[in-house]
Amino acid sequence: MTKLSYVRTEMLPEREPPTSATGVIGWMRQNLFNGWMNSLLTLISLAVIFWLVAGLLPWFWSPTWNAGSLGQCREIIAEAGKQSGACWGVINERWPQMLFGFYPQDLRLRPTLAFFLLFVALIPVLFAMISRRMNWLLLVLVLFAATFFGPGGAVMTVLQIVLGLGLAWLAWTVVATDRADRAAQIKEGVKRLPNPLIFSAAFVFLMPWLLWGGSVWVPVGVALGFVIGWLVFRLLNALIGSLAALILAIVTPVLWWLFLNGLFASAMQAVLPYGLEPVPSRLFGGLLLSVTIGVTAIVISLPMGIMLALGRQSDLLIVKSLSVIFIEFIRGVPLITLLFVASVLLNIFLPPGTNFDIILRVIIMATIFAAAYMAEVVRGGLAALPKGQYEAADALGLDYWKAQRLIIMPQALKISIPGIVSTFIGLFKDTTLVSIIGLLDPIGLSTSIRADTNWNGIVWELYGFVALLFFIFTFSMSRYSMYLERRLRTDHG
Amino acid sequence: MKKTVFLGALTVAAIAAGAASAATLDDVKARGKLNCGVVTGLVGFGAPDANGRWEGFDVSVCRAVAAAVLGDPDAVEFVPTTGKTRFTALASGEIDLLARNTTWTFSRDVDLKFEFVGVNYYDGQGFLVRKDLGVSSAKELDGATVCIQTGTTTELNLADFFRANNMSYDPVPIETNAEGQQQYLAGACDAYTTDASGLAATRATFEDPAAHVILPEIISKEPLGPLVRHGDQEWGDIARWTLNALIAAEELGVTSANIDELASGTENPEINRLLGTEGSLGEMLGLDAEWAKRAIKANGNYGEIFAKTIGESTPVGLARGLNAQWKDGGILYVPPFR
């Protein structure tokens, strides 16, 4: 008797999915033509896209790159037998101005270098996955590239050789040993390269020096102020208690910056004179101005906002009321008003002759404005944490700062990432408002450029270029925030 | 108590302000640079070129004053100002001189405490219309839609003009000149109104300028000129007579081409006084004898500046009109250099 079985005992081999469900066709069936309604919508969308591109592309594709004026553009377009077209000559002639404003032409290497070094400094802060070797390699690479554009001379050649050798050595180590080998080496006790965050910290002082120039000892002295504060805290913490030490650690550096730093810088300058040619703020303009204001305000407003958010939740009455008043006042006032205060009112209130840099004033206003919003965004993150987290931190015996640093903030900030990045993007775009107080940011400059008799009447090309510049920055910021959210996701969803 | 301290501080600030503004000439000399307020950009009157160098009709006044005072037409720190920030920039001492097509009005002179040192361009509000509209006079604009910048004196002038002539109009409010150009070209309004110099500059950028006309009526007086703060007459005199020197140079036939020749002495005593070979006019101003010579050499005389920046050979293409010398039918009439 044969044993009958209706159960298949062996697995069937996998078969290819039907061609209608794979490849391009499958994807299209799935995503574009899924049902008659979707098919109809797809066709309509395609028609709209085609209509837009067909209208815009001939306008974009206009051989006017070398035109010297709007009139020449029109001649070229007429010769090409077209109805209308973009006049790209204005971008060709003015793009350096749109990027750097009135920054002296022979010194433009400095802001460019600062811009690229900004990324080198940001990478260890923003991305955890790049190794130390890669980071130092990047730094040396940027510096090495910069030497080729700098002024010549024996010193520069020596520098080039040194940097070139360093570059070669770093590149060789990166190529010769892969990550796993390197990890094994480190385990065996091979000395690691220094932490690249050292450069990030130094960059905070390096950037203003590169942009504004002047004696090298001024930023060195400012950095020294932080060292002094830290030393004061370390020495006095044991002697007079943490609160008094903290207060003194804040007061001492401020006194140093206000009264002694100038003396220190001029004394050191007399002994070891070294500096870059100073560039006054008046000459800043274009994208350089936007990025300077935006980056500085972004970098300062985040820690300031966190402190304000903590202050607002604090049990200390004075700290709490000050934070609340600050946040509510600043949030209750439009940024334009603050900018007018910076440019107009301060001018009248400060004694005449005080030379309080206009860009510094604007940066301060933009920073406190962003900080007030940031405080509320962070407070939202804090409020979203279950109370158990705070209690757990207390139960572990952590003090206030440790609890914040190890338990509360990592979670609260993670929740707030979209809000934080939105505030950053908003702040960066708000920098264009400075054109209203007569600073020539990209928008202000496009007005000036249109006032040139050669380019009067050009609108779309200039605004399009400005939009493109801003889009590059804001879009990368938003992409980064999405990356960060993915990286910090711990719910395994 | 607190109030007293506050008032005291204000007084100190006010005294300090008085002291600082009393010697603008010394401040400028010590600084080695003239801080001059200019427009952020107005065709022909002031704009940076591709190398960041400021050029234009108003900018030339800054350069002439810098040349007279400091001996170098490039010793100027140009401070771009907007319509909103220009007066505070001047009042607060951020700039020494404002040369930014500003209309000389009673309230600006008296109430805002400024001193207009003269008029470098007599402007007036006009109308720009398409030729095919078939209008040859502003009086035929009854019922027209008009593009008009909000918040300006031109808006008020327009209302006055139409009311005085018992006509009606439909305003299309715009924010900036660029927007006005776009709206007008797109046909959103029949007529575009602003200062006649601005209309000419706007029309020059059109693809087919001949299809548009500027109507002959000028409905307002807009005397544009440089200004300084109240309270420092010496500095005001320097700015006033530098401007006058440029105008007088044209009247007397002194140009940048023949100035070196004339400066060695001529038969005409007024030219000699102007160029410092006779008399001591420069000394009276607190400057040296060759101040006017340097000011004229910086960009040429008034006529040369006009021709170079906004004259008929430039794309702006303005005729001299009112801004001709009094001998040529204009109203430029400077007091004698004596």
Side-chain angles (χ1 to χ4, degrees):
Chain A
M1 208 169 98
T2 50
K3 202 172 162 193
L4 284 173
S5 169
Y6 296 101
V7 180
R8 197 189 288 278
T9 52
E10 77 286 339
M11 285 288 274
L12 275 180
E14 261 179 32
R15 276 195 298 175
E16 291 286 316
T19 43
S20 63
T22 58
V24 180
I25 296 172
W27 183 86
M28 277 173 40
R29 280 176 71 117
Q30 180 103 41
N31 293 297
L32 298 180
F33 301 102
N34 186 9
W36 69 269
M37 183 67 180
N38 283 346
S39 306
L40 188 66
L41 286 176
T42 302
L43 287 179
I44 293 175
S45 311
L46 280 179
V48 170
I49 292 172
F50 176 78
W51 175 73
L52 274 178
V53 171
L56 282 177
L57 207 59
W59 182 82
F60 268 106
W61 196 256
S62 165
T64 47
W65 186 249
N66 291 316
S69 70
L70 182 57
Q72 277 186 23
C73 277
R74 284 182 178 144
E75 279 170 28
I76 294 172
I77 291 165
E79 265 174 40
K82 297 211 287 189
Q83 279 293 317
S84 66
C87 184
W88 297 119
V90 65
I91 305 295
N92 183 23
E93 187 186 299
R94 295 301 182 111
W95 70 265
Q97 201 171 40
M98 295 287 267
L99 294 188
F100 295 102
F102 301 97
Y103 208 92
Q105 266 162 19
D106 48 336
L107 301 180
R108 285 183 182 170
L109 174 67
R110 273 160 46 183
T112 317
L113 180 64
F115 182 70
F116 283 106
L117 286 180
L118 174 69
F119 288 101
V120 178
L122 279 178
I123 283 170
V125 183
L126 299 183
F127 301 93
M129 82 279 200
I130 284 194
S131 68
R132 291 185 175 189
R133 289 176 304 169
M134 278 306 280
N135 220 302
W136 289 110
L137 182 70
L138 267 179
L139 174 61
V140 177
L141 185 68
V142 169
L143 290 176
F144 185 62
T147 53
F148 286 97
F149 298 97
V155 181
M156 209 43 112
T157 316
V158 172
L159 200 64
Q160 248 167 35
I161 293 169
V162 170
L163 285 171
L165 289 176
L167 188 68
W169 177 72
L170 277 167
W172 184 77
T173 60
V174 169
V175 174
T177 50
D178 63 10
R179 277 193 99 131
D181 288 349
R182 181 74 186 163
Q185 279 179 11
I186 288 166
K187 229 173 195 173
E188 283 162 23
V190 176
K191 226 176 129 216
R192 294 191 73 178
L193 286 171
N195 193 334
L197 283 171
I198 296 172
F199 174 72
S200 307
F203 183 73
V204 174
F205 308 99
L206 182 65
M207 190 190 84
W209 183 60
L210 278 175
L211 290 182
W212 278 277
S215 162
V216 72
W217 296 108
V218 177
V220 169
V222 173
L224 214 56
F226 286 99
V227 176
I228 292 172
W230 180 75
L231 282 178
V232 166
F233 185 74
R234 280 299 292 270
L235 291 177
L236 296 183
N237 197 7
L239 290 178
I240 56 172
S242 70
L243 185 64
L246 188 67
I247 292 172
L248 272 178
I250 292 169
V251 171
T252 332
V254 171
L255 289 177
W256 163 265
W257 288 323
L258 285 181
F259 300 110
L260 293 173
N261 193 22
L263 286 176
F264 166 80
S266 47
M268 288 308 286
Q269 183 71 5
V271 181
L272 269 175
Y274 186 71
L276 293 172
E277 195 179 316
V279 178
S281 293
R282 274 280 159 222
L283 300 181
F284 282 49
L287 191 68
L288 171 63
L289 182 66
S290 296
V291 172
T292 310
I293 297 175
V295 168
T296 321
I298 283 173
V299 169
I300 303 175
S301 69
L302 182 60
M304 211 171 143
I306 293 175
M307 294 319 287
L308 282 169
L310 290 178
R312 192 166 187 168
Q313 300 222 318
S314 161
D315 299 328
L316 305 169
L317 180 69
I318 296 178
V319 173
K320 183 178 174 145
S321 350
L322 282 180
S323 304
V324 170
I325 291 172
F326 180 90
I327 293 170
E328 294 304 331
F329 177 72
I330 299 293
R331 283 206 313 162
V333 178
L335 181 57
I336 288 275
T337 319
L338 290 178
L339 289 177
F340 271 117
V341 167
S343 91
V344 173
L345 276 182
L346 281 181
N347 254 344
I348 294 172
F349 286 150
L350 291 172
T354 16
N355 192 8
F356 190 8
D357 196 299
I358 175 77
I359 292 194
L360 193 60
R361 281 184 265 164
V362 168
I363 288 178
I364 292 174
M365 289 300 176
T367 306
I368 61 175
F369 184 77
Y373 278 87
M374 193 63 69
E376 288 300 281
V377 170
V378 174
R379 195 171 67 95
L382 288 173
L385 277 195
K387 201 157 176 271
Q389 296 291 328
Y390 291 87
E391 287 165 353
D394 286 343
L396 282 172
L398 298 175
D399 69 12
Y400 179 76
W401 293 109
K402 273 194 182 140
Q404 292 297 342
R405 191 160 54 87
L406 298 172
I407 307 231
I408 309 298
M409 273 305 149
Q411 301 183 67
L413 288 181
K414 192 184 87 183
I415 300 171
S416 328
I417 287 171
I420 291 176
V421 176
S422 292
T423 313
F424 284 166
I425 291 177
L427 172 65
F428 187 66
K429 290 191 293 186
D430 281 350
T431 56
T432 50
L433 289 177
V434 299
S435 61
I436 290 177
I437 56 168
L439 291 182
L440 295 179
D441 79 314
I443 298 282
L445 266 176
S446 64
T447 315
S448 300
I449 292 170
R450 232 179 296 115
D452 187 324
T453 41
N454 286 336
W455 305 118
N456 188 8
I458 289 185
V459 181
W460 296 105
E461 294 83 344
L462 285 169
Y463 283 136
F465 185 64
V466 176
L468 178 73
L469 290 180
F470 274 88
F471 181 76
I472 292 172
F473 279 85
T474 51
F475 187 66
S476 4
M477 277 195 254
S478 93
R479 283 280 121 180
Y480 172 70
S481 90
M482 291 167 83
Y483 155 80
L484 200 61
E485 275 176 68
R486 272 200 309 279
R487 204 187 87 195
L488 295 179
R489 193 159 63 192
T490 47
D491 55 2
H492 309 292
Chain B
M1 174 62 201
K2 259 186 188 160
K3 208 172 176 185
T4 337
V5 172
F6 181 65
L7 288 177
L10 270 188
T11 320
V12 170
I15 292 170
S21 64
T24 312
L25 177 60
D26 295 337
D27 289 350
V28 171
K29 277 185 172 164
R31 205 187 300 131
K33 286 242 172 187
L34 172 76
N35 288 341
C36 197
V38 290
V39 283
T40 50
L42 180 66
V43 182
F45 285 84
D49 70 4
N51 298 317
R53 189 186 150 84
W54 287 84
E55 300 285 0
F57 187 69
D58 283 334
V59 170
S60 303
V61 176
C62 298
R63 292 198 185 278
V65 173
V69 175
L70 300 166
D72 178 7
D74 288 323
V76 190
E77 194 79 58
F78 289 102
V79 180
T81 56
T82 67
K84 294 184 182 80
T85 62
R86 55 182 165 183
F87 294 127
T88 33
L90 182 60
S92 69
E94 192 185 345
I95 54 178
D96 308 309
L97 173 73
L98 180 64
R100 185 203 181 279
N101 67 323
T102 304
T103 307
W104 186 349
T105 66
F106 182 93
S107 58
R108 283 171 181 175
D109 197 335
V110 178
D111 194 31
L112 290 179
K113 305 238 178 306
F114 293 127
E115 194 176 331
F116 282 82
V117 299
V119 175
N120 67 341
Y121 190 83
Y122 289 96
D123 212 336
Q125 187 175 342
F127 293 95
L128 179 68
V129 295
R130 256 174 294 278
K131 250 198 190 131
D132 53 24
L133 197 65
V135 171
S136 60
S137 156
K139 300 227 164 96
E140 300 165 22
L141 283 174
D142 195 8
T145 50
V146 183
C147 280
I148 174 80
Q149 276 190 47
T150 51
T152 58
T153 49
T154 50
E155 194 180 15
L156 306 174
N157 296 335
L158 182 73
D160 288 354
F161 174 76
F162 273 81
R163 205 178 62 187
N165 289 292
N166 204 12
M167 304 191 298
S168 68
Y169 69 103
D170 208 357
V172 178
I174 52 162
E175 233 6 90
T176 63
N177 192 40
E179 192 190 338
Q181 291 183 20
Q182 292 291 314
Q183 293 281 18
Y184 172 75
L185 282 179
C189 44
D190 301 324
Y192 177 40
T193 179
T194 184
D195 287 351
S197 60
L199 288 181
T202 302
R203 192 177 76 135
T205 69
F206 291 168
E207 280 205 76
D208 183 14
H212 305 264
V213 281
I214 295 172
L215 298 179
E217 281 86 356
I218 296 294
I219 64 168
S220 74
K221 289 188 287 187
E222 309 279 348
L224 310 177
L227 54 156
V228 296
R229 275 184 300 280
H230 252 192
D232 186 355
Q233 263 67 19
E234 287 77 17
W235 177 247
D237 286 344
I238 291 173
R240 172 176 301 112
W241 285 94
T242 306
L243 176 60
N244 284 349
L246 297 179
I247 301 174
E250 189 192 14
E251 187 182 343
L252 298 169
V254 181
T255 65
S256 52
N258 65 12
I259 189 165
D260 283 319
E261 190 190 325
L262 295 175
S264 53
T266 62
E267 297 295 305
N268 185 334
E270 185 152 18
I271 293 180
N272 291 348
R273 281 195 296 273
L274 178 67
L275 299 181
T277 45
E278 240 181 84
S280 56
L281 295 183
E283 209 178 298
M284 295 176 201
L285 274 178
L287 302 172
D288 61 350
E290 294 197 325
W291 64 281
K293 182 185 161 192
R294 286 194 306 269
I296 298 162
K297 268 185 98 163
N299 298 288
N301 64 33
Y302 181 90
E304 288 175 275
I305 295 171
F306 195 103
K308 222 175 347 189
T309 54
I310 51 177
E312 276 171 326
S313 61
T314 66
V316 186
L318 291 173
R320 285 297 288 269
L322 280 181
N323 297 291
Q325 296 286 338
W326 61 284
K327 289 176 181 168
D328 308 330
I331 54 175
L332 289 185
Y333 185 98
V334 294
F337 275 73
R338 179 172 289 280

